[in-house]
Amino acid sequence: QVQLVESGGGLVQVGGSLRLSCAASGRTFSSYAMGWFRQAPGKERQFVAAISWGGGNRSYAGSVRGRFTISRDNAKNTVYLLMNSLKPEDTAVYYCAATRTDWSQVTSQYEYDYWGQGTQVTVSS
C-alpha cells in the first residue's frame, strides 16, 4: 500500500509560480511511476504530467509542456510539480497518483492505484 499527501497549493497571480509536493509512505514508492492530474469545476479529471520510477521518462500534457516540470526524489519518497508562468486556466484541484502500469498508459487516470487528497491551486489576474 502507498499513501500520498499533496501540499503546496494556494493562490497565485497570473505569471507566478508554485511548487506542489506529494509525500508518499511505503517502502515500494520507487517501484511506481507517479502522475499529477487536475480537475476544475465542471470538467473531467485531466492528465498533467507523469514520471517513471527511475525518473528517466517524463510526460506532459500539451497545455503545460514548457511551463511545468515534474521531478522525484526517491530517497525522500517525494514527487514534485514545479509550475511556472501560471495561467487562470491552470486553476484546479491537483492530485498526485501512483501507478505500476506500462509507461504507454500513464496518461490514463484509470491506470492509477493510489491517489492523494488533492490540493487547490487558484490563479488570479
Side-chain angles (χ1 to χ4, degrees):
Q1 287 265 338
V2 176
Q3 290 183 299
L4 307 172
V5 180
E6 303 97 331
S7 62
L11 177 64
V12 64
Q13 290 186 324
V14 169
S17 298
L18 283 174
R19 189 178 76 162
L20 306 183
S21 297
C22 175
S25 64
R27 187 177 296 173
T28 61
F29 172 75
S30 62
S31 298
Y32 288 83
M34 302 296 296
W36 287 96
F37 293 78
R38 66 188 183 187
Q39 188 166 23
K43 299 184 68 176
E44 295 298 312
R45 189 172 296 179
Q46 179 186 44
F47 171 77
V48 177
I51 186 167
S52 62
W53 67 269
N57 291 321
R58 304 182 190 200
S59 182
Y60 297 93
S63 58
V64 308
R65 187 173 293 112
R67 298 188 298 120
F68 291 11
T69 303
I70 188 170
S71 62
R72 69 189 296 164
D73 186 339
N74 288 345
K76 296 182 178 180
N77 287 355
T78 302
V79 62
Y80 305 96
L81 184 69
L82 176 62
M83 305 183 294
N84 293 323
S85 302
L86 283 162
K87 304 174 180 179
E89 51 263 44
D90 295 319
T91 295
V93 176
Y94 283 71
Y95 298 91
C96 175
T99 181
R100 284 177 167 166
T101 194
D102 182 80
W103 182 248
S104 65
Q105 303 296 316
V106 294
T107 62
S108 172
Q109 63 177 305
Y110 305 109
E111 300 297 326
Y112 286 76
D113 303 305
Y114 302 102
W115 293 83
Q117 84 288 352
T119 186
Q120 176 71 47
V121 173
T122 302
V123 184
S124 64
S125 59

